[in-house]
C-alpha cells in the first residue's frame, strides 16, 4: 500500500509542476497582454496629444490670419474713405475758388450783377459736384406732401399744392435732407 502511494506521488508532483508552469505561462501572457495594452494606450495618448497640439497650432494660425485679414480690411477701408474725401474736397476747390473770386470782385467795386453771376457760377459748380455723386434735389413744388421726403414747417389755408422753403436732397433712395415745405389745408 505504501508503495502504491509513492507511485502516485510522482504523478501528482509532475502534474503539480506542470500546473505551476502553466500558471506561470498564463501569468506571463496576461502580463504581456497588459503591457501591450498599456503601450497601446500610451501610443494613443501620445497620438491624441500630438493631434491636440496640431489643432492648437492650426487655431493660432487661423486666429492670426483672421486678425491680419481684419487689419488689412480696416486699412483698406480707411484708404477708401480717405480717397473719397480727397475726391470730394478736390471737387469743392473750384467752388471755393469761385466764392473767393466773387468776394474779391465785389470788394473791388464790382456790381451787384457781377456778384450775382459769381454766386450763380458757384451754385452751378456745387450742383455739378453733387450730381457727380448722384445727389439730386427732391421734387416738392407742385407735388403731393410725402412725409418720407418732405418736412412740413408751416400750414396755410389754400387749395394749392405744397410750397417749398428749402430744397431737400437725396442720394439714391436715401434722403440726405427733406424738403422743407408749407402744406396747404383745403379751404373747401
Amino acid at each position: 500500500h505504501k508503495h502504491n502511494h509513492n507511485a502516485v506521488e510522482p504523478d501528482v508532483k509532475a502534474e503539480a509542476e506542470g500546473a505551476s508552469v502553466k500558471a506561470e505561462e498564463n501569468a506571463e501572457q496576461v502580463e504581456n497582454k497588459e503591457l501591450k495594452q498599456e503601450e497601446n494606450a500610451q501610443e494613443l495618448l501620445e497620438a491624441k496629444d500630438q493631434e491636440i497640439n496640431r489643432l492648437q497650432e492650426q487655431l493660432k494660425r487661423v486666429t492670426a490670419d483672421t486678425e491680419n485679414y481684419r487689419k488689412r480690411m480696416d486699412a483698406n477701408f480707411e484708404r477708401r474713405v480717405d480717397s473719397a474725401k480727397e475726391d470730394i474736397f478736390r471737387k469743392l476747390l473750384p467752388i471755393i475758388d469761385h466764392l473767393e473770386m466773387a468776394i474779391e470782385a465785389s470788394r473791388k467795386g464790382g456790381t451787384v450783377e457781377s456778384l450775382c453771376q459769381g454766386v450763380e457760377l458757384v451754385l452751378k459748380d456745387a450742383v455739378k459736384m453733387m450730381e457727380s455723386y448722384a445727389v439730386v434735389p427732391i421734387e416738392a413744388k407742385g407735388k403731393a406732401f410725402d412725409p418720407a421726403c418732405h418736412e412740413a414747417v408751416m400750414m396755410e389755408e389754400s387749395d394749392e399744392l405744397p410750397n417749398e422753403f428749402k430744397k431737400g436732397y437725396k442720394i439714391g433712395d436715401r434722403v440726405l435732407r427733406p424738403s422743407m415745405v408749407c402744406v396747404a389745408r383745403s379751404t373747401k
Side-chain angles (χ1 to χ4, degrees):
H1 191 304
K2 221 180 199 186
H3 178 69
N4 204 5
H5 181 63
N6 283 342
V8 172
E9 211 173 276
D11 287 342
V12 169
K13 205 177 198 182
E15 206 173 285
E17 282 176 17
S20 175
V21 167
K22 210 171 206 185
E24 281 179 29
E25 286 174 0
N26 283 343
E28 196 174 303
Q29 285 177 350
V30 167
E31 192 176 311
N32 285 341
K33 198 174 196 180
E34 286 175 354
L35 279 175
K36 282 184 181 176
Q37 286 176 341
E38 195 174 305
E39 286 173 6
N40 287 343
Q42 190 62 35
E43 286 173 9
L44 279 173
L45 280 175
E46 287 173 11
K48 291 295 178 192
D49 284 346
Q50 288 173 356
E51 180 67 6
I52 289 169
N53 289 338
R54 186 187 68 75
L55 290 172
Q56 285 175 332
E57 287 303 312
Q58 186 178 1
L59 177 63
K60 286 178 190 175
R61 282 192 304 277
V62 168
T63 302
D65 288 348
T66 302
E67 183 63 21
N68 289 337
Y69 176 77
R70 187 191 62 76
K71 286 177 183 175
R72 280 193 312 275
M73 290 297 104
D74 287 349
N76 187 33
F77 178 77
E78 289 298 319
R79 279 193 302 276
R80 290 173 61 195
V81 166
D82 288 345
S83 178
K85 285 180 195 175
E86 287 173 23
D87 190 42
I88 289 169
F89 289 115
R90 192 173 291 113
K91 289 181 179 180
L92 271 174
L93 292 176
I95 296 169
I96 291 170
D97 293 341
H98 288 130
L99 280 172
E100 288 173 342
M101 290 188 310
I103 290 169
E104 188 178 325
S106 69
R107 287 196 175 139
K108 287 184 178 176
T111 64
V112 172
E113 181 59 31
S114 67
L115 182 60
C116 277
Q117 287 174 348
V119 171
E120 284 175 346
L121 189 58
V122 170
L123 179 60
K124 183 180 163 194
D125 285 346
V127 168
K128 191 169 133 184
M129 180 192 136
M130 289 173 53
E131 287 172 350
S132 75
Y133 289 102
V135 176
V136 295
I138 295 171
E139 296 294 325
K141 215 171 212 174
K143 301 284 183 187
F145 180 77
D146 179 357
C149 56
H150 299 147
E151 183 177 326
V153 291
M154 264 180 88
M155 183 179 286
E156 62 183 31
E157 299 286 331
S158 172
D159 291 326
E160 293 179 19
L161 290 169
N163 188 19
E164 183 177 57
F165 288 116
K166 195 182 277 187
K167 270 188 185 177
Y169 292 91
K170 63 183 180 174
I171 183 168
D173 60 350
R174 294 188 327 261
V175 173
L176 293 176
R177 178 180 76 191
S179 296
M180 306 226 173
V181 297
C182 173
V183 293
R185 185 177 357 189
S186 178
T187 56
K188 294 178 185 176

